[in-house]
Amino acid sequence: MNSYIGEPDFNAGYYQALTYVAIVIVISIVYQTKQVQRYLSGSKVPEIPDLPQRRDKYEQDVYAQGMSQSTTALAPTSKIHFTPTVYAHKLWNYVFHILGVGDMSIGEIIIFILYIAINIIFLVIPFNGSGIPSTINIRAAYVALGNAAFVYPMATRNSVFLKLIGVPFERMIRFHRWVGRTIFYLLTFHASYQITIVGNLRQIFNREVTRYGFLAYISIFIIIVMSHSLFRRYFFELFYWSHFFFIFFFIFGCLHQPQFLVFTIYGFVLYVIDRAIRFINGFKPVEMVSIEALSGGVTRIVFDFKSRYEAGQYMFVNFSNLNPPVSLIAWHPVSFSSAPGIGSDDVSHDSIHMKIQGSFTRRLYAQSQEGIYNMPSKMKVDGPYGRPTLDFSSYRTVVLVAGGIGITPMFSILRDLVDRQISNKPIVTQSIYFLWTIPDTNAYSWFGNELTETNDKFTKRLPENKYLLDIKIFLTKSSTTPSSLFFQGRPDFLTVMQDLKHYHGSGDIAVGVCGPPSMLKEVRKAAVAESDETCLIKVHRETFEL
């Protein structure tokens, strides 16, 4: 590599990659420091004060009506945050809808702008007194390689890279997309410029260096086209397998220019190690205890999972005998709908719920109805992966919001918090609000028994003056409400946040949400609007953004 250093264009990509390394080191130090602080504070059992006096009227349907109870707080309020902190929180988390991109917070936009700025700086900055690069097409290729150094580890699930910075795979995917598309645009400029110089495609294939460069570009072109949301959502297998053209991108890139290997070898090795780990894990089947076809196209699977996992995590599952030979290599993400056992009375079985959303889940549901999987069978599991961005057990007030089958990770978190409270584990949480929006009571059967069981356990084993569990089910397509648990319409999240502040007084609130994009946006906007000096409302949103 030393033979390349000194060339201005190589230096641009080289120092750009080092800049990214420095950023990763800083993020890693901050994250690991927080982890140590969390570990040290997590061993202490906090003192649980009495809850504010709860008025009977508070149990009415103000969430759905959009009316606040009173202008007088039930609990004392005091400022616990500085005004600049509040405005920074509001600004960072305010959500915009960008056409063709989707919802992005200002914080995400700022990160994106900084990333683009770094690329522009290294694209035009002079090195060794050469001034603005005259060979801008060559510079673009090296800047693309500076990005390529990180595009591979960003797609891993088990690498030390993700462990250090604390960003799980499903949240790193957005940055992986940014980097991948930036590489494509830079190489498109580089390739277009080279074609204008060479003159025609025949001459490109007559020269070895340009031939391999063209083949490397075709490889990344296929990846980018197949990464469009149309293919990701409706032709997942095509999207998934086309991504393996990165192997040809790597091979042809190295044949095109040896410097390609200098930039990409470390990330490529991390990716290969990650694939090896996932391949080995795929040989460990878990025992299926039962499978049940529920109403509304939901399949419930109960199984024995021997590995440790955390509430809110997900895994990839494979049913090799569902539709061979495709099913032999088809893996699908799904959240745990159970919680890790804590108390001595916990059942050792774990569960997942899968709703029909494509050919795989449709076939699984149909065959479960036919009784093919009634007898205990085996499925393969890769995971667990992911983690909530908030430590819910460190907040006195927690709100869990779910839309439809989005209840799966939210119920896992709910059950875990209740289990920790009952088992007297180190947990700050006193009040849990669970809001689930579904079309009708048929969908309630997905988790009706589990919610009833959790609520009964909570009521019987925890003092009501110390702990609160408030479950509300909202029906969007039903004209009747079977019990006081149910409400017509949708929750008014702005009112929800106002009432929680009104009841609990000062103290930050943790919100978890999993549901359709419109629900996520409403919750995030309400959290931003109601955050003030007495309370910052922080939101964790679940997403499988492939």
Side-chain angles (χ1 to χ4, degrees), residues 66 151 258 316 537:
V151 74
F316 290 81
I537 304 177

Side-chain angles (χ1 to χ4, degrees), residues 294-494:
L294 306 177
S295 63
V298 172
T299 304
R300 179 176 182 266
I301 301 175
V302 179
F303 58 98
D304 280 330
F305 189 68
K306 304 300 182 182
S307 301
R308 181 181 178 275
Y309 69 96
E310 299 179 12
Q313 287 191 302
Y314 67 96
M315 60 182 175
F316 290 81
V317 296
N318 168 268
F319 297 87
S320 56
N321 58 337
L322 184 62
N323 183 35
V326 175
S327 59
L328 294 173
I329 51 177
W331 294 82
H332 302 268
V334 57
S335 297
F336 283 94
S337 54
S338 55
I342 294 177
S344 58
D345 61 342
D346 284 291
V347 179
S348 60
H349 300 323
D350 304 284
S351 66
I352 56 176
H353 289 65
M354 306 181 73
K355 191 176 188 297
I356 293 178
Q357 293 180 329
S359 58
F360 162 72
T361 46
R362 184 176 292 105
R363 187 175 292 108
L364 179 65
Y365 183 76
Q367 294 197 6
S368 65
Q369 285 180 310
E370 296 171 5
I372 294 177
Y373 288 110
N374 282 343
M375 296 300 293
S377 183
K378 293 182 183 297
M379 68 178 184
K380 295 178 181 179
V381 171
D382 177 21
Y385 295 113
R387 61 177 181 82
T389 55
L390 298 175
D391 178 11
F392 289 96
S393 63
S394 64
Y395 291 83
R396 291 202 178 275
T397 304
V398 171
V399 184
L400 301 174
V401 181
I405 199 60
I407 187 178
T408 50
M410 295 298 104
F411 179 77
S412 177
I413 295 171
L414 167 66
R415 179 62 187 270
D416 182 62
L417 292 174
V418 172
D419 286 346
R420 288 177 178 273
Q421 290 172 331
I422 292 174
S423 302
N424 200 30
K425 298 291 182 180
I427 180 173
V428 174
T429 308
Q430 286 185 268
S431 304
I432 307 173
Y433 297 85
F434 193 85
L435 313 179
W436 185 23
T437 303
I438 51 179
D440 49 44
T441 53
N442 288 332
Y444 179 71
S445 64
W446 302 344
F447 281 86
N449 293 335
E450 290 87 344
L451 287 172
T452 300
E453 176 191 347
T454 303
N455 190 56
D456 290 345
K457 181 190 293 189
F458 181 93
T459 304
K460 293 176 181 178
R461 302 181 61 175
L462 292 172
E464 63 178 7
N465 65 315
K466 299 284 187 180
Y467 296 97
L468 168 68
L469 175 58
D470 189 354
I471 299 176
K472 286 183 168 61
I473 313 298
F474 295 87
L475 307 177
T476 60
K477 297 181 180 180
S478 178
S479 58
T480 60
T481 53
S483 69
S484 60
L485 189 69
F486 297 87
F487 301 85
Q488 292 182 13
R490 304 177 188 274
D492 183 332
F493 294 112
L494 190 63

